[in-house]
């Protein structure tokens, strides 16, 4: 396993054990191979990916609220609850080692936008599913941890434009939220690459 946690996230006790327990539970009960499971914060929503096309013919992926199925199990003193979804971000996530052994690796060209979805799409090519744990949850303390320099990187339109273009080149689709933040989505629904 690889445990990944951002510097602005605090996890509850036994978080990694709980996430590992969910991965193992899904393998046995639903014959589901979870490649990665994220421990949510209060802002996280279960997401499914819907494919679409803009009026000018650009293929898109749009996140919508939803899940494939819901799971629960008593683990380490918590009544753990999770959703198997189409998306798990990387804030506080436990990944199976074999996901990376299949050359599914985070793409540093997408560090600021699209990195989580990119890793999910890589894993899905190898039969992995992804999940989000909603109980217990992490705490997101982003306002306490970021410098002004980090804020400038996170709000740079140029960075988001580069991420959008790279994602499109790599996958042939554009995540609609990424195009919107990059300023590439026009009011009539076209994406101008």
């Amino acid at each position: 396993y690889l445990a990944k946690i951002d510097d602005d996230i605090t996890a509850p006790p036994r978080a990694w054990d709980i996430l590992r327990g969910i991965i193992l539970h899904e393998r046995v009960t639903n014959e589901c191979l979870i490649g990665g499971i994220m421990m949510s914060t209060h802002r996280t929503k279960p997401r499914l990916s819907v494919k679409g096309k803009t009026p000018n013919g650009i293929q898109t992926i749009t996140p919508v609220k939803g899940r494939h199925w819901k799971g629960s199990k008593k683990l380490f003193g918590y009544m753990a609850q999770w959703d198997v979804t189409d998306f798990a971000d990387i804030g506080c996530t436990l990944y199976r080692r074999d996901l990376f052994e299949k050359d599914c690796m985070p793409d540093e060209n997408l560090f600021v936008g699209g990195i989580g979805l990119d890793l999910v799409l890589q894993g899905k090519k190898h039969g992995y599913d992804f999940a989000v744990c909603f109980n217990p949850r992490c705490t997101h303390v982003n306002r306490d941890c970021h410098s002004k320099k980090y804020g400038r990187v996170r709000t740079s339109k140029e960075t988001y434009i580069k991420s959008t273009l790279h994602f499109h080149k790599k996958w042939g689709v554009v995540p609609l939220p990424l195009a919107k933040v990059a300023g590439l989505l026009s009011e009539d629904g076209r994406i101008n690459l």
Side-chain angles (χ1 to χ4, degrees), residues 86-133:
D86 285 340
F87 183 71
D89 206 355
I90 60 173
C92 176
T93 306
L94 185 68
Y95 294 99
R96 294 175 54 97
R97 179 185 176 128
D98 53 0
L99 176 77
F100 301 108
E101 290 171 346
K102 296 197 184 296
D103 290 327
C104 299
M105 298 300 282
D107 185 336
E108 44 185 74
N109 291 309
L110 298 170
F111 176 69
V112 173
I115 194 168
L117 179 58
D118 174 71
L119 194 53
V120 165
L121 292 175
Q122 290 180 59
K124 286 194 176 285
K125 286 178 25 181
H126 295 282
Y128 290 97
D129 287 300
F130 293 83
V132 178
C133 175

Side-chain angles (χ1 to χ4, degrees), residues 8 22 58-59 63 69 77 89 100 105 135 161 171 184 186 190:
D8 61 354
I22 293 169
I58 304 289
Q59 300 289 325
W69 66 85
D89 206 355
F100 301 108
M105 298 300 282
N135 188 49
I161 290 169
W171 293 105
L184 298 173
S186 65
R190 295 172 186 268

Side-chain angles (χ1 to χ4, degrees), residues 25-90:
H25 179 79
E26 283 294 333
R27 181 69 178 185
V28 172
T29 58
N30 293 312
E31 296 184 5
C32 174
L33 184 60
I34 299 288
I37 180 166
M38 173 187 180
M39 188 164 279
S40 70
T41 68
H42 72 284
R43 294 176 44 195
T44 309
K45 296 178 179 97
R47 297 288 189 193
L48 296 177
S49 297
V50 174
K51 292 184 179 177
K53 189 185 278 191
T54 65
N56 60 330
I58 304 289
Q59 300 289 325
T60 61
I61 295 177
T62 304
V64 297
K65 189 174 181 183
R67 62 173 132 349
H68 296 292
W69 66 85
K70 189 174 192 76
S72 65
K73 180 178 174 64
K74 184 93 170 171
L75 292 167
F76 304 100
Y78 293 93
M79 181 44 113
Q81 297 175 346
W82 65 90
D83 292 342
V84 175
T85 66
D86 285 340
F87 183 71
D89 206 355
I90 60 173

Side-chain angles (χ1 to χ4, degrees), residues 114-157:
I115 194 168
L117 179 58
D118 174 71
L119 194 53
V120 165
L121 292 175
Q122 290 180 59
K124 286 194 176 285
K125 286 178 25 181
H126 295 282
Y128 290 97
D129 287 300
F130 293 83
V132 178
C133 175
F134 288 97
N135 188 49
R137 291 183 188 264
C138 291
T139 302
H140 192 196
V141 290
N142 63 330
R143 294 191 197 282
D144 299 335
C145 294
H146 296 160
S147 66
K148 288 180 183 179
K149 180 180 178 185
Y150 179 81
R152 285 190 300 273
V153 170
R154 292 292 297 190
T155 58
S156 164
K157 282 234 191 255

Side-chain angles (χ1 to χ4, degrees), residues 105-107 110 118 122 165-173:
M105 298 300 282
D107 185 336
L110 298 170
D118 174 71
Q122 290 180 59
L165 295 174
H166 181 75
F167 200 99
H168 182 257
K169 182 178 179 182
K170 184 173 185 176
W171 293 105
V173 298

